[in-house]
Amino acid sequence: MDIYSGYISRLIAELAVLPGIGSKSAQRLAFHIINMPKEQVTKLAEAMTQARENIRYCGVCCTLTDRDVCPVCSNPARNKKQIMVVENPRDMTAYEKTGKYEGVYHVLHGAINPSLGIGPSQIRLKELIQRLQEDVDEVIIATNSSIEGETTAMYISKLIKPTGIKVTRIASGVPVGGELEYIDEVTLSRALDARVEL
Ligand code: ZN
């Protein structure tokens, strides 16, 4: 029996689909939303719809953006010969916040994870290899220091090495299993400065 009205049950079911939201949290959020002022609920719903409709992948680095080419890739001051490979747009944001990096990025949208069936073709690796046809001096691998991140780093390094392009890995001042986005800016800058050639 549906103890709530159909509308509430539907809202709870939609919220429960989100990562990290169990059925209890979904119920809590649903009742919170129902008690919010109507205008605020409209704003929230609009923000979600508009973000989903207008955000796409940058045609160069694959990050999420509302333009064909993201602001970093279209900035003439950025060094296009230096490409930093990260797992997701949040990692890119973390490096941008340091203000120390002048190159460009490549966002993989994941890492190789055989146990989850995620192979090289499931991440944006083909796009990276295509970019290397252009004049590139260095590929800095800044995937996380988790097993998946390291596996991905090794895979990319083996793939690029034969081309003669310099491949480096950010230093492991970064705690093992630590996700880049949670690490402070100073540590990130240091990890970048102390990168080692693979
Ligand atoms: Zn871009």
Side-chain angles (χ1 to χ4, degrees), residues 104-115:
V104 290
Y105 298 88
H106 188 83
V107 182
L108 295 172
H109 294 279
I112 297 171
N113 188 340
S115 63

Side-chain angles (χ1 to χ4, degrees), residues 58-63 65 69-74 92 105:
C58 167
V60 180
C61 74
C62 303
T63 195
T65 176
V69 176
C70 79
V72 173
C73 290
S74 49
M92 174 175 169
Y105 298 88

Side-chain angles (χ1 to χ4, degrees), residues 53-97:
E53 269 170 15
N54 294 300
I55 300 293
R56 65 197 95 162
Y57 296 104
C58 167
V60 180
C61 74
C62 303
T63 195
L64 297 174
T65 176
D66 54 5
R67 313 181 194 174
D68 290 336
V69 176
C70 79
V72 173
C73 290
S74 49
N75 180 350
R78 305 295 292 238
N79 178 7
K80 306 285 181 341
K81 295 182 176 184
Q82 199 177 38
I83 301 176
M84 185 194 286
V85 181
V86 292
E87 289 185 21
N88 58 56
R90 298 185 304 270
D91 295 338
M92 174 175 169
T93 307
Y95 266 100
E96 276 304 279
K97 277 193 194 151

Side-chain angles (χ1 to χ4, degrees), residues 128-129 132 139 155-165 167:
L128 173 66
I129 302 306
L132 302 181
V139 173
Y155 186 89
I156 296 175
S157 152
K158 277 191 192 142
L159 210 59
I160 300 178
K161 276 246 151 158
T163 64
I165 296 168
V167 185

Side-chain angles (χ1 to χ4, degrees), residues 108-112 118-127 152 156:
L108 295 172
H109 294 279
I112 297 171
I118 303 170
S121 57
Q122 268 85 47
I123 57 176
R124 302 276 178 140
L125 208 51
K126 197 173 58 216
E127 289 86 346
T152 310
I156 296 175

